[in-house]
Amino acid sequence: MKNLHAVYLFVNDVKKSSSWYSKVLNIPLTIDEDKFSLIKIGSCELCFHPADDKSPVSTGGSVAYWYVENLTEAVDLFVNHGASLYRGPIEIPESDEGICQIKDPFGNVIGLQGKYNKTSYKHDN
């Protein structure tokens, strides 16, 4: 294996979910269709696919973590657009970073990791 290529979010409404992420991240959709959408983030693709019996909308299972410059600012950005803090943040021992999980308005969870100052953090979960 070389690197992570794509992360799929299984959603009830591809258009609504992908449009929300495009707005929050300020990144245009590379593919924008009713049954599949895609945002290119660096060398990785964030893909939106209709949920079904084999891949339902879920907060469980694998969670992809995205590196951000400032964890507090990233959480603020997502929460201000209707997401909620799902888990954390927790400090990463022996570093100035933290990690957390964000639950989007559509029921999916993504992870964030980045510089973290616990004393300036204002969200509770």
Side-chain angles (χ1 to χ4, degrees):
M1 290 191 284
K2 292 184 179 181
N3 58 1
L4 182 65
H5 171 71
V7 174
Y8 276 70
L9 295 180
F10 293 90
V11 299
N12 291 322
D13 187 326
V14 169
K15 288 278 195 185
K16 191 173 183 180
S17 297
S18 62
S19 293
W20 184 83
Y21 274 92
S22 178
K23 180 180 177 182
V24 171
L25 299 173
N26 195 29
I27 300 174
L29 293 164
T30 304
I31 298 174
D32 184 11
E33 299 176 0
D34 290 337
K35 299 290 183 187
F36 182 81
S37 290
L38 179 150
I39 297 173
K40 188 90 167 161
I41 304 173
S43 63
C44 192
E45 297 173 349
L46 181 58
C47 305
F48 303 86
H49 189 282
D52 58 25
D53 290 341
K54 288 189 175 183
S55 298
V57 173
S58 173
T59 56
S62 297
V63 175
Y65 280 78
W66 299 89
Y67 189 78
V68 297
E69 290 297 320
N70 182 301
L71 186 62
T72 300
E73 289 176 7
V75 171
D76 286 345
L77 175 66
F78 280 93
V79 168
N80 290 338
H81 281 86
S84 60
L85 186 61
Y86 186 68
R87 177 175 284 174
I90 61 170
E91 293 177 281
I92 298 173
E94 300 179 17
S95 81
D96 63 347
E97 293 187 346
I99 60 173
C100 71
Q101 293 178 356
I102 298 292
K103 185 175 180 184
D104 72 23
F106 315 102
N108 286 287
V109 172
I110 62 167
L112 302 175
Q113 177 177 338
K115 292 199 183 299
Y116 174 58
N117 181 346
K118 187 175 182 176
T119 59
S120 68
Y121 193 76
K122 64 183 177 189
H123 296 284
D124 293 321
N125 68 331

